Amino acid sequence: MSAWKDIVLGLLLAVSAGLLSYAGASQIDRELLNVDDVWFQADIKRVYSNMTNRWANHYRATVHPLFSLTTFATVRALQAALRIDGMTAVRITCGMVASFWTIALFVLFRHLGCRRFDASLFCLVALCSASAVFWFVVPETYALGSLAILLALNLAAAAETHTPSQWHYIAVSAATLSFSVTNWMAGLVATVVSHPWRTAVRISLLALALVLGLWGVQRVFFPSSGFTLSTKGEMTYTMRANPLSVVNAFALHSMVMPTVRIVPGETPEQPVMSVQRSWPGSGSAWGMIATGAWIGLLGLGIWSTWSLTSHRQFRLVLGLTLAGQLILHLLYSEETFLYSLHYGPLLVVLAGLGILTRVRIITLSLAGVLLLSVGVNNWVQYQKVLELFPQYMSHGVVDRISK
């Protein structure tokens, strides 16, 4: 009976996530699919074309090796089965990823020994986070990358109680590499922590070979696919953000959406939306409350990480992956929020570790306050962003602040 309760509860959360993703995407102006950079520097036009057009330019396979192969096949299958247009199929695909992501997060908390109520509460907190609200509604690579990272964390948590086969590690390591090459750090860490170094090297090489083999298949169907693992052109994006603004965006903006600004892009005539220099919680009074609750939860989570005596390997994987993500974006980012779905869930899991300690009641209380306040704040900010987009299309005033 307990297994059925988990299945039913997990499915309810997953369906809710998928419906919220689809509903949020349906509110966005169709013209957003025809422009890049405006949505916090996201390449929405390019990604949408990669998901729907075999003959589009798939050159970003250099850093997102199997994104085109995975999403194009899914979109085409949905179009054929449901007789729908490409945009609707893309929205359903985004909703499906949000659903699987939610299931992965719920299963992870249950793997760690969290009660159903606790796991559900933190899944809802994650779904209301700024990273989820703003990135599950647009076609981008980050949702699949985030899902792959959660699979690596699930594998690390499962390894605490039994021994997964090496094929599990190969598959998960390949998945983390498939959608963003930098996310391979999660698969590599999960493998290294659980195996002797020779075995870890063998597993990692087999995962790399699997991805390269599938990339070869992808190249047949998408001739413009770039060469996998090539770093040509990526150095232009290094060291372009103030470290303090990166830490601020990394720790706080991924949960609580602050004031959204329209600022100059690559050229003054190409403004983009940005939160890189926004003050934490500046979006609303609810945002200030949410920021306070979130800081409290992160503090309890960090304390719990050092206090727990169980889940040693999992805590090591979580800590090293979080550290790797932070170092990466200190070196490589301009709009840190662009990548927030990769590290945002890791912070939610870190904050959730408090429910495994004697501060469980305090953790749950703060999570309840956060869920209410961040839900209201991020919904309000999302609506303001939808209102800002027409200003972009008409080349509105740069530096205008949403109020």
Side-chain angles (χ1 to χ4, degrees), residues 151-293:
L151 293 180
L153 291 182
N154 267 283
L155 187 61
E160 299 276 5
T161 55
H162 66 280
T163 306
S165 73
Q166 291 186 16
W167 288 107
H168 285 105
Y169 285 94
I170 293 170
V172 168
S173 184
T176 57
L177 174 60
S178 294
F179 305 115
S180 187
V181 293
T182 53
N183 286 345
W184 197 17
M185 68 175 75
L188 292 174
V189 169
T191 301
V192 169
V193 166
S194 301
H195 297 87
W197 73 269
R198 291 181 185 274
T199 305
V201 170
R202 181 172 65 250
I203 289 172
S204 301
L205 289 177
L206 287 172
L208 176 60
L210 176 59
V211 172
L212 289 175
L214 290 172
W215 175 83
V217 174
Q218 175 177 267
R219 185 64 183 263
V220 173
F221 290 95
F222 307 96
S224 61
S225 294
F227 183 73
T228 301
L229 304 184
S230 170
T231 59
K232 183 179 179 180
E234 297 304 314
M235 296 304 293
T236 59
Y237 299 101
T238 60
M239 305 300 291
R240 297 183 65 172
N242 181 286
L244 290 178
S245 71
V246 172
V247 173
N248 176 41
F250 187 95
L252 302 178
H253 294 351
S254 58
M255 175 57 67
V256 186
M257 197 65 171
T259 296
V260 179
R261 300 172 181 267
I262 298 180
V263 302
E266 294 295 330
T267 64
E269 294 76 27
Q270 185 184 2
V272 300
M273 296 178 188
S274 174
V275 294
Q276 189 68 25
R277 297 187 178 181
S278 295
W279 190 254
S282 57
S284 68
W286 287 105
M288 295 299 294
I289 296 172
T291 300

Side-chain angles (χ1 to χ4, degrees), residues 372-392:
L372 172 61
S373 55
V374 84
V376 174
N377 176 81
N378 290 347
W379 172 254
V380 170
Q381 291 305 105
Y382 184 66
Q383 296 303 312
K384 289 182 179 180
V385 164
L386 296 182
E387 296 171 2
L388 282 175
F389 180 68
Q391 297 178 34
Y392 169 85

Side-chain angles (χ1 to χ4, degrees), residues 42-162:
D43 294 334
I44 291 177
K45 178 182 178 180
R46 176 187 58 78
V47 173
Y48 178 77
S49 67
N50 288 174
M51 295 176 72
T52 57
N53 183 2
R54 176 185 175 188
W55 304 109
N57 193 342
H58 296 264
Y59 73 100
R60 289 295 282 173
T62 54
V63 289
H64 308 293
L66 301 181
F67 178 82
S68 294
L69 181 65
T70 304
T71 57
F72 180 84
T74 303
V75 168
R76 278 302 176 91
L78 288 170
Q79 286 184 274
L82 303 178
R83 298 184 180 278
I84 54 180
D85 59 45
M87 181 165 57
T88 302
V90 168
R91 288 173 177 172
I92 293 175
T93 300
C94 293
M96 290 169 58
V97 175
S99 295
F100 287 124
W101 182 89
T102 305
I103 290 176
L105 191 59
F106 179 76
V107 172
L108 175 58
F109 279 118
R110 292 293 285 152
H111 264 145
L112 294 175
C114 301
R115 304 178 191 184
R116 291 189 190 90
F117 174 82
D118 302 4
S120 302
L121 177 60
F122 272 88
C123 282
L124 291 174
V125 166
L127 283 172
C128 289
S129 68
S131 56
V133 169
F134 284 83
W135 292 115
F136 279 137
V137 296
V138 294
E140 252 297 355
T141 62
Y142 308 112
L144 276 171
S146 181
L147 174 59
I149 290 173
L150 286 179
L151 293 180
L153 291 182
N154 267 283
L155 187 61
E160 299 276 5
T161 55
H162 66 280

